[in-house]
Amino acid sequence: ALSSAASDVYKRQMKAIKYLLLIMLCFYGEQIYSQKKAVWVPDSIASQISVIQNQAREWKQHTDENPKDEKAWMRYVRTIQTLKSLTPGDSIEKEINEMMVKVKKYIPNTATYALIQNMILPFSKSDMSFDEIMDKWPDAVMHYPTYMALSFHNKNRLKDVSIRWYQSGTYPLQSLNYTYNELISAEKDALIFTDANWTLFASYLLQYGKGLFNDKKVIFSALMLTPFSMNELTEELGIPEFKDADPEFYKSKTPTMTFANEMKKRIEHIAKYTKRPIYISVSTNEAVKNLLKDHLYGEGLLMRYSSKPYDNLAVMRRNFENTYLLDYLYETFYPETLTDVCLDLKGVKMLSIYYVPAFKSLLQFYKESGDVTHYDKLYSLLESIVKKADYYSDEVRERYLKSINF
């Protein structure tokens, strides 16, 4: 039996894991998208309570009509779990209890039921631990995003999940291609900050499943807000611990800017002490990029953090002309139904639009320098991306088209 002290440590670890899982699943399941700016905004979850409540009602209705739909149950649970952390009370507890009765009735003896029980119930009340669940159902493809989120602090488990997911053929090729282009363009030993779960997951699949880019590290920005993860990162990098944290940041009346300020502090701290190259994904929250703009230099899908100016346009040209693999943006022949098993393809498809702001300045350079061949090739690519972006409104697509017509 565990001693009292060891038990307390274990409980804190489990609480931290469940908190990290909540963050990951919220970003994975319902990443906030603004058509006004056509960018993802990792805003405070608290500011989206009404949105999450509506989502919970929709998923509850769906599970009532389709009680065997395990994917719907997981999405319902994610919204309920988020609401429980934001709006605790008798009402939400009653809904959780009713939900658990139905889950046990309709999908017992499944990985889905076991995960839901573990995610919802207090510590030590569930029948199986997360590790036991992953051991019993290692090929539960639908739960690979959850398995991966649970495995960040266990390299062997993370490697196993990544290899299984890669070999299953169910990971969206669009995300693998996009992330490949990010990673191949970064210098050796790069640290890459991203807001997109899909690129984080894809980096693990490329590293462990494909054996590529093992020197580079992709970091999910939202996780760095927790002292647990930030301290783990600084320890791994061999740099001083980050101490200037504001645990009340999520209560701010301006959550987007507060998130940006907290990320700015962390990135600047890392840049101050590490010699490793640092990059910010072009898909990163606009407020973060604005605060760091004096030190960010676009190279394509990545923006390099640098204290000194350099010829970043030359690097951008190299990436477009010689480094990136871009054929998938013109046409793909992979059945998308396979990749809808565990990830929402809408979010994955949105990734391609980031090539437009990433290469806008290069397009202008080609035009002004009279390089007609490369201008026509790049313009054709960006135009094709925008016209295929049917997940955006006509207004947003028109705005993107105007941005590349100088």
Side-chain angles (χ1 to χ4, degrees):
L2 290 174
S3 66
S4 177
S7 178
D8 288 342
V9 171
Y10 184 61
K11 287 180 180 180
R12 288 197 298 271
Q13 290 176 337
M14 289 302 298
K15 184 177 181 180
I17 288 174
K18 287 192 176 187
Y19 178 67
L20 292 177
L21 180 61
L22 172 61
I23 294 176
M24 292 298 298
L25 293 182
C26 288
F27 271 79
Y28 149 66
E30 303 294 344
Q31 196 145 10
I32 302 163
Y33 170 69
S34 167
Q35 278 207 341
K36 181 178 180 181
K37 293 184 178 180
V39 296
W40 285 324
V41 182
D43 211 336
S44 165
I45 298 175
S47 68
Q48 298 294 313
I49 289 178
S50 62
V51 175
I52 298 170
Q53 288 173 332
N54 288 334
Q55 291 167 351
R57 284 191 287 269
E58 291 173 2
W59 285 117
K60 181 180 185 301
Q61 181 179 348
H62 186 91
T63 55
D64 287 342
E65 297 170 355
N66 305 274
K68 298 287 187 179
D69 188 340
E70 295 184 36
K71 193 171 182 179
W73 279 115
M74 287 298 293
R75 293 189 174 184
Y76 180 28
V77 168
R78 282 198 293 270
T79 57
I80 288 297
Q81 190 181 29
T82 307
L83 287 175
K84 180 182 178 180
S85 67
L86 299 173
T87 58
D90 293 340
S91 177
I92 193 70
E93 290 297 336
K94 179 181 178 182
E95 183 170 357
I96 288 174
N97 291 334
E98 292 174 349
M99 178 189 69
M100 292 304 297
V101 170
K102 293 179 181 178
V103 171
K104 186 174 183 179
K105 176 181 179 180
Y106 291 110
I107 54 171
N109 306 314
T110 63
T112 302
Y113 171 67
L115 283 170
I116 290 174
Q117 188 186 49
N118 205 312
M119 291 160 60
I120 291 294
L121 296 182
F123 174 76
S124 78
K125 297 294 184 180
S126 57
D127 296 334
M128 301 177 69
S129 69
F130 285 130
D131 284 336
E132 289 172 333
I133 294 169
M134 290 185 278
D135 285 338
K136 184 172 182 178
W137 291 284
D139 297 314
V141 177
M142 184 183 77
H143 297 302
Y144 281 169
T146 304
Y147 284 8
M148 189 166 282
L150 290 168
S151 303
F152 289 152
H153 308 291
N154 184 334
K155 188 173 182 179
N156 290 331
R157 176 79 73 181
L158 182 62
K159 182 176 181 180
D160 179 67
V161 174
S162 300
I163 291 173
R164 288 178 182 275
W165 200 350
Y166 179 78
Q167 293 179 347
S168 74
T170 59
Y171 199 87
L173 291 188
Q174 303 100 310
S175 178
L176 289 175
N177 274 284
Y178 184 96
T179 304
Y180 175 90
N181 285 340
E182 283 189 318
L183 294 178
I184 198 172
S185 66
E187 288 193 4
K188 188 177 185 302
D189 297 323
L191 302 175
I192 303 169
F193 287 86
T194 182
D195 286 345
N197 269 6
W198 300 278
T199 56
L200 175 68
F201 292 162
S203 71
Y204 290 131
L205 267 68
L206 291 173
Q207 289 174 327
Y208 293 122
K210 190 70 174 173
L212 300 173
F213 313 119
N214 290 316
D215 59 304
K216 299 168 186 178
K217 184 176 182 63
V218 176
I219 302 164
F220 187 57
S221 298
L223 290 184
M224 292 302 97
L225 298 177
T226 65
F228 180 77
S229 292
M230 185 62 186
N231 291 341
E232 189 176 61
L233 177 61
T234 55
E235 182 178 350
E236 178 185 340
L237 297 177
I239 65 176
E241 181 180 336
F242 176 77
K243 297 181 180 180
D244 185 18
D246 178 8
E248 302 297 310
F249 78 92
Y250 54 88
K251 294 182 180 179
S252 168
K253 294 181 180 179
T254 56
T256 300
M257 283 308 302
T258 308
F259 170 89
N261 282 318
E262 290 299 314
M263 283 309 306
K264 178 177 181 290
K265 293 177 187 177
R266 286 156 175 76
I267 291 172
E268 288 178 340
H269 175 83
I270 294 171
K272 179 179 179 180
Y273 294 104
T274 187
K275 294 182 179 180
R276 297 177 65 165
I278 296 177
Y279 295 86
I280 311 295
S281 172
V282 72
S283 64
T284 296
N285 171 266
E286 291 296 317
V288 174
K289 290 188 290 187
N290 284 336
L291 288 178
L292 295 171
K293 63 183 179 181
D294 291 339
H295 298 292
L296 291 182
Y297 297 85
E299 297 183 355
L301 296 179
L302 296 179
M303 307 174 75
R304 182 162 184 177
Y305 184 95
S306 176
S307 59
K308 299 178 181 179
Y310 66 98
D311 189 2
N312 59 302
L313 187 61
V315 181
M316 191 184 298
R317 289 183 63 187
R318 181 196 66 198
N319 288 336
F320 171 66
E321 295 175 16
N322 302 308
T323 305
Y324 286 177
L325 300 181
L326 299 170
D327 286 351
Y328 83 100
L329 293 169
Y330 292 101
E331 197 60 74
T332 180
F333 304 97
Y334 190 76
E336 292 181 344
T337 51
L338 287 178
T339 62
D340 200 30
V341 176
C342 50
L343 287 176
D344 182 359
L345 277 179
K346 180 181 179 181
V348 175
K349 288 180 177 179
M350 287 179 179
L351 287 173
S352 62
I353 204 68
Y354 287 110
Y355 283 95
V356 179
F359 282 131
K360 181 181 175 181
S361 60
L362 181 60
L363 184 68
Q364 186 170 4
F365 167 79
Y366 285 145
K367 183 174 183 178
E368 294 176 353
S369 64
D371 188 343
V372 177
T373 300
H374 283 114
Y375 173 84
D376 288 344
K377 181 180 179 181
L378 181 54
Y379 182 86
S380 175
L381 174 66
L382 300 183
E383 182 184 43
S384 175
I385 289 173
V386 175
K387 288 184 175 180
K388 290 180 180 179
D390 55 2
Y391 35 85
Y392 292 110
S393 68
D394 290 341
E395 179 185 355
V396 169
R397 281 186 287 171
E398 182 62 28
R399 190 156 59 245
Y400 271 106
L401 283 175
K402 288 183 178 178
S403 74
I404 60 175
N405 286 289
F406 307 111

